[in-house]
Amino acid sequence: MSNNIVESVPGVALAPSRYRNQISKYIVYRDKTCINCGKCVEVCTVGVHQQAGTSSFSRPEEHKCVGISCNACVDSCPQGALSVIINPMMEMLGDYRWTNDLILSTWYQAETGKVPTNGLEYSVGNSGGGFDRLKIKFPENPSIKLKNEEISTAIPLNRRNDSAHRVEIGLPVYGGGMSFGSVGLSTIIGKARAAKAWNTFTCTGEGGYHTTLYPYDDHVITQVATGLFGVREDTIKRVKIVEFKYAQGAKPGLGGHLLGDKNTPEVAVMREALPGSALFSPFPFHSVYSVEDHKKHVDWIKAMNPKALVSVKVSTPTDVDMVAIGSYYAEAHIIHIDGSYGGTGAAPNIAKKNIAMPIEYAIPKVHNFLKAEGVRDKITLIASGGIRTAQDAAKAIALGADGVVIGTAEMVALECVRCANCESGRGCPRGIATTDKELTHHFDSDWSSQRLTNLLSSWHTQLVDILKKLGMRSIQELVGRHDCLEYEGVKIG
Amino acid sequence: MPEKYHINITPTLPRFTPVGKVSAIERDGCLGCAKCAKKSCVYDVYKNRSFDSKQLTDTIDYLCKNCFRCVQECKGRLFSRAINPEYKRLGDSYWKPDIIATTWYQAETGKIPVSGAGYLGPFTGHGFDSMWTDMSEIVRPTRDGIHGREYISTSIDLGRKLVSLEFDTQGHLVSSPPPTINIPMPIIFNILPFGKINKNMRLAMAKAANKLDIPMLIEAEEYFDELSPYNKILMPQFSAKTFETQKKLLTGARLAEFIYEENIMEYIAQAKKINSSLIASVRLKLDKNAADISQKLIQDGVEIIHLYADYQGNEHDAAQPRFIKDMVRDIHRQLVAKSIRDEVTIIVSGGIGLAEHLAKVILCGADGAAVDLILPIALECRVCKRCTKGLSCPVEMEKIDVAWASRRIINLMGAWHSQLIEVMGAMGIREARRLRGETGRAMFLEDLERDFVNAIMCK
């Protein structure tokens, strides 16, 4: 196995907010008594203050501000012209899982490609359970001292070692399925380019394979979901990985639903449907009522594309461990479990909140069961549905996953604010999850791919750092290392 | 198969601007740009906003969808957003603002609340929030059931059931099954736990219940003649005090409820003398004695037991009250262990505020639930409890129109019915009757936590 599957760390470049006014945790006020002495520029270590010529200041770059704990500029201003307060708008931004700190820190990483140094919490949220109550236990002194370049974050996806592609990805992370229709092209292409940069994958979701994705074929997973929208022999043959979507964490057991408004003429062509009509993917596969039926599906893919890896995406019912073993016996390469708190373009609130179990509970259940059955090392276990941060990814792996899939984190990197209006009217008001002509012009794929590459870069840095502190050479050593975790139990607020 | 049940919804606007979650804040200092952030609002909220002179509010607080575009695009940086303090003040520790707001939405539209992004709430919570419903990866019924091409039945039977049928030596049936009533949805309208209820509210609820074909409880002494068109669905409730004076209501009633006391069976016997086909329910407080009393009542032949928790779903008269879902689970299990659970119908009430609560309490062992506070909330009640202190109602409940109000209630029930079908469809359960006590299709926090800790502890 090559140690450095990512030949060189892909290019990080500054990709600032596409909005004029960045939302920041702190607000910096400068009043009229400022004499333009430049003292604040001198003392600020993060570059909030910038003089614009000799007589005036440009607007403070508040999103960089470390906040009240620093206050260096305020304290050193001879005129008392500066003040720093917490932005009162913070209470409107974020929620229990994605706190305002997590949103802002993800923006920071997507902008700079670096781990935040401005005091923002970038690892855990405030949900009171799961990843937010799990800690990674670091030894005081790692057993071996490693240099960054000795540490690998790569994982193989074909653990059956059969005749299918021997795919390895540079990071234990790939992009979740989002169809053309549920998101726009700038988002899709941005995801694909970032996947290519990090030698990992993105997924088409259900809804077909857009021609602009062809240059990224080797980094695309194409999805076969219950509606079979956009599935053609050609799409199956193009790719290295084909994913069967049985269910989705946000709406397990409910199938899929593209709202009529989002079914634009361009979307409809790919889906071979009538524009403007709502498109339902039924639940479940009407041709699958047993593991044997499922195997028939897998065989069907393998007949068309013998080298393809087959991934099976399921949600997390009580018997998720049985489903996983069934997938193994049907000769799938990847079992992808999507937890109940996963993201979505549209789902009934009752489903998002209540149906199926959170991913944290499901991972060790499946991992232990596959181990007990003696097949754990023959299948790749991928977890998703609530992986927000690099630490979440590391914790999921320590719980027993080989890697993770992210979706919402990518959306947030593209400046999603989690307003949850992806489904209403013309779709995402911020141009991410929409194919509305006017709204999608808000950004291009250069910007989106850079933001996503930057985010993955920061995650890579963090994963390497975690492994270094644990004295592990490879992320693969962390799989199922429950002893590296400390659990505090749920906290009900 | 029972006739297919369908609830017709009619979008019905609120009378008052609902309390919005957002406070839209706008500073002075407009630069008058040609390309104004207000004009590019995707939802046209700046165009559609108005000042509600009655409530002294700006409707933008309700219209704004919180996408932050204007906040981030305005050259003068004039806009910001905060949580509306009025919104935070809605309801109480159990009847939270989110429950109230989603009930308003459903009463207005009759639709299932749908949104993008993942679940925004905490990992787990108190009460109903500490359990999940299961799903089945490959079994039917399917989305076809949810869309109505297949049938998922939400109906249940009210009444007593025989444990077995007896036949004579010739093979003729000798047992006579007691009367039961089939209701198309596992819901009964309850008596309100507090608050003022006026004639029009009562009429609207009865009209809605009649349309939905589900029973509605009413204190016998509160009955008035205008309710007579709805007698079929009315379920008069008697206490020892009101029995004598109100017993005329028993004639023609299909269902009646009796507030529990020790000699309750005597009242029920008297009532059955007046109306032999009457199905009697006993209203029993959910406290530490509820399980044992229920057991005794079943042995005495009672047909329906209505177990009521307090209005927040908590046990009565307990220093450390248990929650309704846990109490119902315990009682259900006790009765199953005694092999008498199937003989009786159990209806529960207290704290049923969301469609998911209905599904969950049935999973815990109830046959159905009685709903109360959500009915006035559908009519814009803000759970401010001013009426309990004799103060004026901020949404002028005294002025409601019966037709408007009944439509709102029907809409809400329509949305709940659809959601019940959604979760049943996901679970692969075709009938609400089979949902009862089916804890194999539920996941409880305490079990998942225990398994999780065990799983990560073992080597």
Side-chain angles (χ1 to χ4, degrees):
Chain A
M1 193 201 71
S2 67
N3 227 359
N4 277 313
I5 194 80
V6 183
E7 306 276 309
S8 59
V9 171
V12 165
L14 213 56
S17 169
R18 57 199 158 97
Y19 292 100
R20 200 178 178 284
N21 313 325
Q22 277 242 47
I23 299 176
S24 60
K25 187 166 181 178
Y26 301 100
I27 294 182
V28 181
Y29 288 113
R30 172 188 304 280
D31 69 25
K32 287 179 192 147
T33 59
C34 169
I35 51 168
N36 210 28
C37 67
K39 187 79 187 160
C40 49
V41 182
E42 227 171 83
V43 297
C44 181
T45 53
V46 290
V48 173
H49 304 283
Q50 271 156 27
Q51 272 169 309
T54 49
S55 61
S56 70
F57 270 85
S58 50
R59 215 169 62 197
E61 297 199 8
E62 294 161 324
H63 67 284
K64 294 181 181 167
C65 179
V66 179
I68 300 155
S69 62
C70 161
N71 250 20
C73 59
V74 175
D75 294 341
S76 64
C77 178
Q79 293 296 102
L82 294 169
S83 55
V84 175
I85 61 160
I86 291 187
N87 186 349
M89 205 163 60
M90 281 301 101
E91 64 169 0
M92 247 355 260
L93 182 71
D95 49 79
Y96 288 95
R97 302 175 163 274
W98 279 90
T99 54
N100 47 50
D101 263 38
L102 281 190
I103 292 177
L104 295 176
S105 63
T106 301
W107 288 350
Y108 183 105
Q109 295 171 71
E111 176 172 342
T112 63
K114 297 199 173 94
V115 185
T117 49
N118 59 350
L120 289 171
E121 171 59 60
Y122 57 86
S123 294
V124 291
N126 186 32
S127 72
F131 295 129
D132 291 341
R133 303 290 288 170
L134 270 172
K135 274 188 191 146
I136 301 173
K137 272 193 293 194
F138 293 108
E140 273 183 31
N141 290 304
S143 51
I144 35 171
K145 288 225 184 309
L146 294 162
K147 291 186 191 129
N148 285 359
E149 51 277 15
E150 293 173 302
I151 296 170
S152 165
T153 55
I155 62 164
L157 293 180
N158 181 356
R159 292 157 63 98
R160 296 191 95 95
N161 293 325
D162 57 9
S163 57
H165 291 293
R166 298 295 170 91
V167 175
E168 243 185 0
I169 54 177
L171 272 177
V173 178
Y174 59 82
M178 293 178 207
S179 67
F180 177 60
S182 76
V183 293
L185 264 190
S186 310
T187 305
I188 289 180
I189 301 303
K191 283 179 60 168
R193 285 169 62 180
K196 187 172 181 178
W198 274 99
N199 188 30
T200 183
F201 281 81
T202 182
C203 176
T204 59
E206 174 172 38
Y209 205 111
H210 202 277
T211 49
T212 52
L213 273 177
Y214 289 177
Y216 310 97
D217 280 347
D218 284 351
H219 300 278
V220 173
I221 299 172
T222 196
Q223 202 173 65
V224 178
T226 54
L228 301 177
F229 288 116
V231 177
R232 298 193 315 274
E233 193 171 335
D234 167 60
T235 65
I236 303 292
K237 284 182 167 165
R238 293 201 90 82
V239 294
K240 287 186 170 170
I241 306 178
V242 177
E243 175 175 285
F244 278 108
K245 185 180 90 169
Y246 276 78
Q248 181 183 341
K251 42 187 169 181
L254 300 181
H257 182 184
L258 184 77
L259 288 118
D261 287 342
K262 281 189 161 187
N263 186 11
T264 60
E266 210 184 349
V267 172
V269 167
M270 274 176 55
R271 294 193 176 219
E272 298 174 76
L274 282 175
S277 58
L279 298 180
F280 294 99
S281 292
F283 176 85
F285 277 109
H286 283 22
S287 44
V288 177
Y289 291 96
S290 64
V291 171
E292 291 72 26
D293 285 347
H294 171 56
K295 181 162 190 324
K296 190 178 66 192
H297 266 192
V298 176
D299 291 345
W300 167 50
I301 295 300
K302 288 184 175 172
M304 267 189 280
N305 182 350
K307 300 276 279 176
L309 300 189
V310 175
S311 168
V312 179
K313 180 179 177 183
V314 296
S315 69
T316 50
T318 312
D319 57 355
V320 60
D321 42 1
M322 296 301 293
V323 172
I325 198 82
S327 299
Y328 168 76
Y329 284 111
E331 293 177 16
H333 298 89
I334 299 169
I335 174 80
H336 171 180
I337 53 177
D338 192 22
S340 69
Y341 290 144
T344 174
N349 293 351
I350 189 171
K352 289 200 292 191
K353 178 179 172 190
N354 297 294
I355 306 177
M357 69 171 88
I359 194 63
E360 293 91 333
Y361 292 137
I363 300 169
K365 192 176 164 86
V366 172
H367 171 76
N368 287 356
F369 194 72
L370 292 172
K371 238 166 73 175
E373 291 285 309
V375 302
R376 179 64 188 89
D377 56 349
K378 297 273 178 273
I379 191 159
T380 304
L381 175 60
I382 297 291
S384 66
I387 312 287
R388 304 154 297 179
T389 65
Q391 270 215 14
D392 284 355
K395 289 169 188 172
I397 291 168
L399 282 174
D402 290 297
V404 299
V405 161
I406 56 169
T408 304
E410 295 177 320
M411 299 295 96
V412 173
L414 303 182
E415 296 198 293
C416 160
V417 286
R418 276 170 72 75
C419 68
N421 297 314
C422 338
E423 88 305 342
S424 62
R426 292 149 66 194
C428 171
R430 298 170 73 90
I432 308 163
T434 180
T435 50
D436 184 283
K437 284 272 184 298
E438 190 189 320
L439 292 169
T440 47
H441 283 159
H442 282 226
F443 62 89
D444 59 24
S445 55
D446 286 343
W447 180 82
S448 58
S449 60
Q450 191 61 58
R451 295 276 290 191
L452 294 167
T453 308
N454 287 352
L455 180 71
L456 291 178
S457 184
S458 169
W459 280 35
H460 177 257
T461 307
Q462 292 173 61
L463 289 174
V464 167
D465 187 56
I466 289 167
L467 293 173
K468 191 174 176 177
K469 285 189 193 151
L470 289 168
M472 292 180 184
R473 280 176 198 282
S474 161
I475 192 82
Q476 295 174 52
E477 289 175 43
L478 184 59
V479 177
R481 285 291 298 274
H482 300 152
D483 58 309
C484 294
L485 293 169
E486 194 174 351
Y487 182 53
E488 301 174 295
V490 293
K491 185 173 143 215
I492 297 177
Chain B
M1 194 172 88
E3 198 190 329
K4 201 158 163 178
Y5 185 56
H6 182 74
I7 299 175
N8 283 314
I9 56 154
T10 325
T12 306
L13 292 174
R15 299 165 299 151
F16 292 84
T17 307
V19 179
K21 191 171 184 175
V22 182
S23 268
I25 301 163
E26 185 175 345
R27 284 193 295 124
D28 284 340
C30 176
L31 303 167
C33 310
K35 194 168 175 272
C36 174
K38 284 183 179 181
K39 283 188 193 138
S40 56
C41 174
V42 181
Y43 307 107
D44 284 334
V45 303
Y46 289 98
K47 203 167 106 193
N48 297 333
R49 79 198 286 189
S50 59
F51 186 71
D52 180 338
S53 56
K54 212 149 128 197
Q55 293 176 87
L56 305 178
T57 53
D58 184 338
T59 59
I60 197 171
D61 292 352
Y62 173 63
L63 298 172
C64 172
K65 287 179 172 280
N66 205 26
C67 74
F68 291 97
R69 279 265 312 269
C70 58
V71 171
Q72 293 196 260
E73 285 174 3
C74 171
K75 287 192 180 148
R77 308 178 92 193
L78 302 183
F79 305 111
S80 83
R81 292 288 182 270
I83 293 183
N84 182 359
E86 283 291 318
Y87 184 83
K88 277 200 252 184
R89 270 202 295 275
L90 285 174
D92 60 24
S93 62
Y94 184 87
W95 293 88
K96 292 187 175 139
D98 290 352
I99 294 188
I100 295 174
T102 187
T103 305
W104 288 345
Y105 169 83
Q106 293 170 66
E108 176 179 337
T109 62
K111 287 184 183 164
I112 302 179
V114 170
S115 61
Y119 174 53
L120 306 180
F123 186 86
T124 182
H126 290 288
F128 288 119
D129 289 352
S130 63
M131 68 183 281
W132 289 266
T133 62
D134 202 8
M135 61 83 68
S136 176
E137 215 68 63
I138 55 170
V139 305
R140 286 183 171 241
T142 66
R143 185 102 201 160
D144 287 354
I146 293 160
H147 284 289
R149 287 193 292 271
E150 284 177 32
Y151 192 55
I152 296 179
S153 166
T154 54
S155 78
I156 59 163
D157 296 313
L158 300 177
R160 202 171 165 89
K161 279 184 214 84
L162 295 175
V163 178
S164 58
L165 295 175
E166 281 168 33
F167 298 87
D168 64 15
T169 48
Q170 269 80 49
H172 299 299
L173 184 65
V174 290
S175 18
S176 57
T180 55
I181 291 174
N182 185 272
I183 57 172
M185 194 173 164
I187 280 190
I188 285 178
F189 287 177
N190 198 10
I191 285 159
L192 295 192
F194 60 79
K196 234 190 205 160
I197 178 161
N198 60 51
K199 266 193 167 182
N200 278 359
M201 283 168 81
R202 197 82 83 174
L203 280 168
M205 288 174 194
K207 193 178 160 87
N210 192 53
K211 187 93 184 164
L212 296 163
D213 196 19
I214 58 177
M216 168 173 145
L217 279 159
I218 178 170
E219 300 94 327
E221 67 277 19
E222 297 287 331
Y223 182 84
F224 51 94
D225 289 339
E226 291 102 306
L227 283 170
S228 62
Y230 314 119
N231 280 352
K232 187 180 152 230
I233 52 89
L234 288 182
M235 183 171 178
Q237 183 197 72
F238 300 92
S239 66
K241 268 187 236 152
T242 59
F243 185 76
E244 276 308 317
T245 55
Q246 306 296 333
K247 63 184 178 192
K248 60 180 185 299
L249 283 179
L250 287 166
T251 319
R254 297 188 304 166
L255 294 154
E257 181 161 288
F258 300 85
I259 296 174
Y260 176 76
E261 52 190 274
E262 268 183 32
N263 54 351
I264 189 78
M265 295 314 292
E266 290 168 27
Y267 288 103
I268 293 176
Q270 281 189 49
K272 295 219 168 191
K273 268 184 205 156
I274 299 168
N275 176 352
S276 62
S277 64
L278 184 78
I279 297 174
S281 161
V282 173
R283 186 182 188 87
L284 181 63
K285 210 183 218 187
L286 264 174
D287 60 14
K288 63 180 192 305
N289 302 319
D292 293 338
I293 297 175
S294 299
Q295 198 178 317
K296 170 106 189 2
L297 286 171
I298 297 171
Q299 280 149 4
D300 289 344
V302 118
E303 292 151 311
I304 302 173
I305 301 174
H306 174 181
L307 297 163
Y308 71 102
D310 77 4
Y311 80 102
Q312 298 184 321
N314 291 320
E315 181 174 12
H316 289 277
D317 315 319
Q320 302 230 297
R322 290 171 294 165
F323 189 69
I324 186 168
K325 83 173 209 299
D326 305 306
M327 286 185 286
V328 170
R329 246 184 120 187
D330 289 348
I331 293 173
H332 175 77
R333 275 192 292 214
Q334 180 171 334
L335 300 179
V336 168
K338 297 281 173 195
S339 308
I340 54 175
R341 175 63 185 91
D342 277 334
E343 293 178 43
V344 74
T345 303
I346 293 182
I347 300 294
V348 301
S349 66
I352 308 294
L354 294 168
E356 68 207 49
H357 298 168
L358 176 64
K360 286 177 175 178
V361 87
I362 295 174
L363 279 168
C364 288
D367 289 284
V371 296
D372 36 52
L373 263 190
I374 56 147
L375 302 173
I377 296 173
L379 310 181
E380 300 179 88
C381 166
R382 296 173 179 182
V383 199
C384 64
K385 300 173 190 157
R386 281 170 59 90
C387 55
T388 62
K389 299 169 204 141
L391 300 170
S392 66
C393 175
V395 292
E396 299 174 357
M397 208 62 97
E398 65 282 0
K399 291 187 190 161
I400 59 159
D401 171 69
V402 174
W404 172 89
S406 67
R407 283 202 303 272
R408 298 265 303 186
I409 292 171
I410 291 169
N411 286 348
L412 177 64
M413 289 297 111
W416 277 37
H417 183 249
S418 305
Q419 289 170 85
L420 181 61
I421 286 179
E422 291 263 352
V423 287
M424 284 171 64
M427 282 186 267
I429 286 190
R430 265 174 203 281
E431 281 199 66
R433 280 181 277 223
R434 290 180 56 190
L435 192 61
R436 187 198 73 192
E438 186 56 88
T439 46
R441 292 258 178 252
M443 293 179 258
F444 295 91
L445 174 69
E446 56 276 20
D447 299 335
L448 290 177
E449 276 286 287
R450 190 195 52 235
D451 291 351
F452 181 70
V453 170
N454 288 341
I456 63 173
M457 297 285 270
C458 70
K459 288 275 178 286

